Amino acid sequence: MKICNDSRKSFANASSLCGAIFDVARSRETLASLAAKISAPDFWQDQEQAQKVMQQRKAADAVLSADAKLATMASDIETYFHLAEEEKDSAQRDSLLHEVDREMTAAEAYVSELETLTLLSGENDRLNAIMTIKPGAGGMESQDWAEMLLRMYLRWAERKGLNATVLDLTPGEGAGLKSATVRVEGENAFGFLSTESGVHRLIRISPFDQAARRHTSFASVFVIPEVDDRIEIDVKPDDLRIDTYRSGGKGGQNVNKVETAVRITHLPSGIVVQCQNERSQHKNRELAMKVLRSRLYELEIEKRQAETRKMDETKRDISFGSQIRSYTLQPYRLIKDHRTKFEVGDVDRVLDGDLDPFIRNFLLARKKGALGNAAEAGDE
């Protein structure tokens, strides 16, 4: 019972701390102020400003909803504690304490999720993300590893309730893939996935080696924000070369039969994007232009912010000594992030999309200024 009381106090302190971090009182004031603006007759005349106000209301609503959910959790846990304290039958008490443990685990996970959200404060964190995965040197080994990473991120997006669409995929020779571009739609998609940019290393017994030797494979992950319509990117038609070709997908009424896939080359920058996911050429062109605008925006940000080290780090050689994370399947099983030193032994769970602990630890370390240098990982 002493342990239960200590746990109860600990959760009460944590929920109070969350209320302070989110500033619930200010959010209530913000909602009241915004309600007056939204009710004005001319509110929707300025569409751009109206959208900003609606986003502010959504953010304030989210804070109040989180606070209400925490209060409900705290009340449920408190009720279980009281029932357990008053219960005379040991079996019933053990059952109630089991419920307490289950509720505490769920509450702690929710508090951790809320804390992670408070760490996303970048200008582009709220935007959709465009992720590119490419294998390093090593043929089928690296191509297969790139495909494993693609599956991991698609499973992560599914867990988070985000919509992930493979815009372009070039199959590898024999196995895996040569490149893949994925669009991830949802709140804070870029904020979460930007933590994954860099080189990922896999150590395992190769399924392609008849001698069953251990191999090391590399693949790179590069993430940029999808530029929304409010950010103006001037793309001149004369600067574009647009090619159409037949999709390499599994087929369908139009796929593989007509030239539905689109490749766009931005001549001044040399940037090439392509999309073959949709059945219509028009839709593929629209999505390819979204990717192009996002890459041009990112290119402009790089020019303006020469001091930004993160982009430089993600563009290192896809080789030993530049990895941000190592996934060791043999001779032992461990996944270690070399920037934060955070590690997990349940390899299968991570490869099945459970990336939130790595994302959270990266965001915490970044906020504290405690990120390590990925290049130092080569000796570990």
Side-chain angles (χ1 to χ4, degrees):
M1 278 301 176
K2 181 180 184 301
I3 295 174
C4 289
N5 287 330
D6 290 343
S7 298
R8 177 165 53 187
K9 291 177 182 177
S10 175
F11 179 71
N13 291 336
S15 59
S16 297
L17 178 61
C18 282
I21 290 174
F22 282 112
D23 201 343
V24 175
R26 178 177 292 182
S27 294
R28 288 196 180 97
E29 293 174 1
T30 299
L31 271 180
S33 173
L34 294 177
K37 292 182 180 180
I38 294 172
S39 61
D42 59 347
F43 174 71
W44 290 105
Q45 288 185 4
D46 187 339
Q47 290 285 332
E48 184 175 343
Q49 185 61 32
Q51 289 296 335
K52 290 180 180 179
V53 171
M54 296 302 289
Q55 282 189 351
Q56 290 174 349
R57 186 179 75 167
K58 181 180 178 182
D61 269 331
V63 170
L64 296 184
S65 296
D67 182 64
K69 185 173 181 177
L70 279 174
T72 300
M73 286 180 162
S75 177
D76 290 345
I77 290 170
E78 188 73 18
T79 300
Y80 279 121
F81 273 128
H82 283 306
L83 291 173
E85 287 173 340
E86 296 172 0
E87 182 59 57
K88 303 301 182 183
D89 183 79
S90 59
Q92 287 292 331
R93 186 168 59 248
D94 288 344
S95 176
L96 285 168
L97 291 176
H98 177 73
E99 288 298 318
V100 167
D101 182 62
R102 186 175 63 83
E103 291 290 331
M104 286 287 292
T105 300
E108 288 171 359
Y110 186 61
V111 169
S112 176
E113 180 183 338
L114 292 178
E115 185 181 25
T116 301
L117 291 176
T118 66
L119 300 172
L120 296 175
S121 57
E123 180 183 354
N124 297 321
D125 284 346
R126 63 178 177 80
L127 299 177
N128 297 335
I130 295 174
M131 169 182 283
T132 302
I133 302 173
K134 292 185 178 181
M140 281 196 301
E141 287 290 341
S142 294
Q143 291 173 13
D144 186 56
W145 172 223
E147 188 172 50
M148 290 171 64
L149 285 174
L150 174 62
R151 178 188 179 278
M152 181 179 75
Y153 289 117
L154 292 178
R155 291 287 293 117
W156 172 83
E158 183 181 342
R159 283 170 174 252
K160 298 290 288 185
L162 303 174
N163 182 33
T165 305
V166 179
L167 299 180
D168 181 61
L169 190 149
T170 303
E173 297 175 358
L177 56 87
K178 290 184 177 179
S179 70
T181 301
V182 184
R183 180 193 190 199
V184 182
E185 301 173 83
E187 191 72 21
N188 295 314
F190 175 71
F192 291 131
L193 287 176
S194 62
T195 67
E196 295 296 299
S197 280
V199 177
H200 296 246
R201 176 176 68 168
L202 173 69
I203 304 170
R204 65 171 176 175
I205 300 297
S206 171
F208 307 105
D209 188 339
Q210 293 183 348
R213 289 171 295 190
R214 191 172 62 178
H215 286 248
T216 299
S217 307
F218 297 90
S220 72
V221 175
F222 186 57
V223 183
I224 59 175
E226 181 185 85
V227 180
D228 62 19
D229 294 333
R230 287 169 293 174
I231 301 175
E232 294 185 7
I233 301 294
D234 184 24
V235 181
K236 299 177 181 178
D238 293 343
D239 291 340
L240 302 179
R241 184 177 73 238
I242 301 176
D243 302 307
T244 58
Y245 58 98
R246 294 185 180 182
S247 172
K250 294 182 179 179
Q253 187 164 353
N254 290 321
V255 178
N256 290 332
K257 298 178 182 179
V258 296
E259 295 184 343
T260 57
V262 175
R263 181 187 299 110
I264 301 177
T265 304
H266 185 251
L267 300 176
S269 66
I271 293 176
V272 179
V273 298
Q274 55 191 32
C275 184
Q276 57 178 316
N277 181 67
E278 301 294 332
R279 294 181 179 273
S280 75
Q281 185 185 117
H282 174 76
K283 188 64 176 177
N284 280 326
R285 177 169 176 165
E286 179 183 336
L287 289 172
M289 282 299 298
K290 277 183 173 288
V291 176
L292 176 62
R293 291 177 69 245
S294 295
R295 292 191 177 173
L296 288 173
Y297 173 75
E298 194 69 16
L299 184 63
E300 185 62 27
I301 292 296
E302 286 182 337
K303 291 178 180 177
R304 295 180 185 179
Q305 300 178 346
E307 75 279 5
T308 302
R309 298 193 306 272
K310 287 183 289 187
M311 286 299 168
D312 295 333
E313 290 173 355
T314 60
K315 293 178 180 177
R316 292 178 181 161
D317 291 337
I318 311 176
S319 60
F320 188 81
S322 61
Q323 63 272 9
I324 62 167
R325 191 179 299 151
S326 291
Y327 305 69
T328 304
L329 308 188
Q330 294 288 342
Y332 54 89
R333 296 174 69 80
L334 183 72
I335 299 179
K336 180 173 183 178
D337 194 302
H338 300 292
R339 304 162 299 177
T340 63
K341 310 306 178 188
F342 178 74
E343 56 188 41
V344 171
D346 192 344
V347 172
D348 293 332
R349 183 171 177 175
V350 175
L351 291 176
D352 199 40
D354 187 15
L355 291 170
D356 283 352
F358 286 96
I359 292 172
R360 178 172 178 270
N361 274 274
F362 178 91
L363 293 172
L364 283 169
R366 184 175 67 182
K367 184 176 182 180
K368 296 175 182 177
L371 286 176
N373 190 343
E376 296 172 356
D379 298 330
E380 299 185 15

